[in-house]
Amino acid sequence: MNLNSPLFDRIRTQREPREAPRESVIRCDSPGCEAEGTYRAPMGRLREGQYFCFCLEHVREYNATYNYFNGMDDASVARYMKDATVGHRPTWSMGTRRGQAGFREDPMAAAADPLGVYRQRFRRPPPAPERRGRTHSPVTIRAFVAMGLEETADKEAIRARYKELVKRHHPDANGGDRSREEKLREIIHAYKTLRAARLV
């Protein structure tokens, strides 16, 4: 390819000289000030993301008198501070207060189910019937059996039975016979279990 061809002379154009970029100078937003506004200051509540541009002297004056809550009463400030703990997002109460104000239903209950597909799958089981009287753990029931007592025995009956069994199975009461020591240990352990369960 011949670059000295006359065709290229007609195609080529001369570029215009570039202008030097103009520097944009932001002036101070304070009235009557001609200094450069290099420092940003927030405009205030309800104008988030917007800023004034001040010189160093005027930004110091502005910051000394700036109050985000200007014009709000104490109750509004307290409510704002409380909402700020959750980022001003809506929240719902936790717990099992179904049907009361603030309770949030699970999404499956609120979804439309005209054919009843999810009804059986997500149905909650009925509450277990309440047992009448005191209920005890299996360890406590074994302690009652070891002492030969009913589960409904009160404190006085447990103490009296304990004293009776210790006197009966203690080696001193049996003339030094140690054959009943294992039964005595079982009775003492059962009494300690009942005491730990706060039944004595």
Side-chain angles (χ1 to χ4, degrees), residues 42-53:
M43 288 189 175
R45 190 168 39 91
L46 305 177
R47 295 174 75 182
E48 280 83 4
Q50 299 176 8
Y51 298 93
F52 291 117
C53 293

Side-chain angles (χ1 to χ4, degrees), residues 26-56:
I26 299 173
R27 298 287 171 210
C28 180
D29 285 333
S30 180
C33 182
E34 292 296 323
E36 188 177 345
T38 55
Y39 300 97
R40 295 190 332 166
M43 288 189 175
R45 190 168 39 91
L46 305 177
R47 295 174 75 182
E48 280 83 4
Q50 299 176 8
Y51 298 93
F52 291 117
C53 293
F54 290 121
C55 62
L56 183 60

Side-chain angles (χ1 to χ4, degrees), residues 19 25 27 42 89-90 133 152:
E19 294 181 16
V25 176
R27 298 287 171 210
R89 292 182 177 91
T152 57

Side-chain angles (χ1 to χ4, degrees), residues 6-31:
L7 295 174
F8 283 109
D9 292 338
R10 285 183 284 185
I11 294 174
R12 290 187 187 137
T13 61
Q14 274 191 333
R15 292 183 181 171
E16 296 180 11
R18 289 185 181 177
E19 294 181 16
R22 296 179 184 173
E23 292 184 17
S24 60
V25 176
I26 299 173
R27 298 287 171 210
C28 180
D29 285 333
S30 180

Side-chain angles (χ1 to χ4, degrees), residues 5-197:
S5 168
L7 295 174
F8 283 109
D9 292 338
R10 285 183 284 185
I11 294 174
R12 290 187 187 137
T13 61
Q14 274 191 333
R15 292 183 181 171
E16 296 180 11
R18 289 185 181 177
E19 294 181 16
R22 296 179 184 173
E23 292 184 17
S24 60
V25 176
I26 299 173
R27 298 287 171 210
C28 180
D29 285 333
S30 180
C33 182
E34 292 296 323
E36 188 177 345
T38 55
Y39 300 97
R40 295 190 332 166
M43 288 189 175
R45 190 168 39 91
L46 305 177
R47 295 174 75 182
E48 280 83 4
Q50 299 176 8
Y51 298 93
F52 291 117
C53 293
F54 290 121
C55 62
L56 183 60
E57 179 185 344
H58 290 116
V59 80
R60 285 179 177 160
E61 288 176 16
Y62 183 80
N63 286 341
T65 60
Y66 180 74
N67 182 5
Y68 184 80
F69 300 108
N70 190 19
M72 292 176 71
D73 60 340
D74 291 341
S76 299
V77 172
R79 189 169 44 253
Y80 181 90
M81 298 296 277
K82 182 181 176 192
D83 290 344
T85 58
V86 292
H88 300 285
R89 292 182 177 91
T91 58
W92 293 269
S93 300
M94 294 181 66
T96 56
R97 300 179 303 147
R98 181 172 296 280
Q100 294 185 10
F103 185 81
R104 183 175 172 189
E105 288 284 340
D106 56 337
M108 291 310 300
D113 186 20
L115 301 176
V117 175
Y118 297 108
R119 197 173 303 137
Q120 292 297 325
R121 187 173 176 192
F122 293 103
R123 181 174 287 167
R124 289 182 175 84
E130 292 184 17
R131 295 171 124 183
R132 301 219 177 254
R134 290 189 285 180
T135 58
H136 301 292
S137 67
V139 176
T140 310
I141 293 171
R142 278 197 298 269
F144 277 117
V145 170
M147 293 184 71
L149 292 169
E150 295 291 326
E151 291 180 37
T152 57
D154 61 345
K155 292 180 181 183
E156 298 304 321
I158 294 170
R159 286 180 186 146
R161 182 70 174 159
Y162 175 68
K163 285 180 184 178
E164 176 192 340
L165 291 173
V166 167
K167 285 180 183 177
R168 186 186 310 165
H169 295 289
H170 198 275
D172 293 343
N174 295 315
D177 183 16
R178 295 180 168 256
S179 61
R180 297 185 182 177
E181 273 190 24
E182 191 60 39
K183 181 66 177 170
L184 180 64
R185 284 192 195 104
E186 184 182 342
I187 291 165
I188 293 170
H189 180 70
Y191 184 75
K192 287 180 179 177
T193 302
L194 294 176
R195 224 170 58 194

